[in-house]
Amino acid sequence: MKKTFSIVQGPATADISLAFLLVGVTYDRKMRVWILFVLCLAGNAFAASITEEPPIVEEEEPILEEALPEVGSNPVQVEIGEFDEAIEVVEDNLNEENPCLNHHCKKGKVCEVDEENTPMCVCQDPTSCPAAIGEYEHVCANDNTTYDSSCHFFAHKCSLEGTKKGHKLHLDYIGSCKFIEPCLDVELSEFPLRMRDWLKNVLVTLYERDEENNMLTEKQKLRVKKIYENEKRLQAGEHSLDLLAHDFEKNYNMYIFPVHWQFGQLDQHPIDGFLSHTELAPLRAPLIPMEHCTTRFFDQCDSDNDKYIALEEWAGCFGIKDQDVDKDMVI
């Protein structure tokens, strides 16, 4: 059974204009929308650094698979950090004398001042969250509960802070909760074929449309230029799985950098050479409803079950040989 990556609508990002650069690309409709999202991710990946809360060691609990279904930072146009529980936000206040003006609070919390006018972060009242405009704003948590929006979810999670239930509660994917069919072994083997080809085409498109938009660094452009100018490159389009597998075998070198590049795009909070559940969320959250093998794929990547995906594990999931894994390529 053949599948293609697709996307659902979501709130626009600060750099959503970058997404429209791909409108003219000759991908099928679903693939095109998928790429719109990653451009937004690439455009914002170098934004303010974000500090992730230290993990709490608990009894065996697979962090990458939580009875959940999404794609995250690829299929949906969402702000970077939309699914990051450690992201900090600044209260919008024009009064320069307000102590909360420069006081940062993570998702689910807002700044208030005490009797001594000292700023502090308190859990946000869910009723203060903007009403959801449409179904696309709904999110599903790993407890199979649908929330009106990510704002409502994080406000609720904050109210459970310090409890075991609160620690285990995570935003799972975009959209209302629904049944996610099991991923068969044969389907799991097909997943990286499409993913690798997609990553390569995203980079080529960024290179073609970059100009002065700074979507790629100079070092990245040099890497992608070699792929772009290679006459053997499989052009973007809808290809059979057999052709994708054949192209990976014959033009293996073209896929090495795209896999490293995507790892670097996700490894941001903090940049430490490992992908946490939170860092994977922008890629997983929108993908799960459309690609039901997403959760199993990323769970399989964590081969040592330490709840983090190292570069070597990530590259191995996409078929990159051990000798070709290079940390200096994550640029």
Side-chain angles (χ1 to χ4, degrees), residues 48-54 84-88 106 268-270:
S49 63
I50 299 166
T51 304
E52 184 177 345
E53 298 175 353
D84 191 333
E85 296 159 27
I87 257 196
E88 295 183 340
K106 69 177 184 179
Q268 297 290 324
H269 318 309

Side-chain angles (χ1 to χ4, degrees), residues 72-100:
S73 1
N74 281 326
V76 195
Q77 298 174 10
V78 295
E79 297 180 11
I80 291 301
E82 180 72 17
F83 309 101
D84 191 333
E85 296 159 27
I87 257 196
E88 295 183 340
V89 295
V90 183
E91 284 297 289
D92 186 13
N93 194 316
L94 299 179
N95 183 1
E96 295 183 359
E97 297 181 358
N98 189 331
C100 282

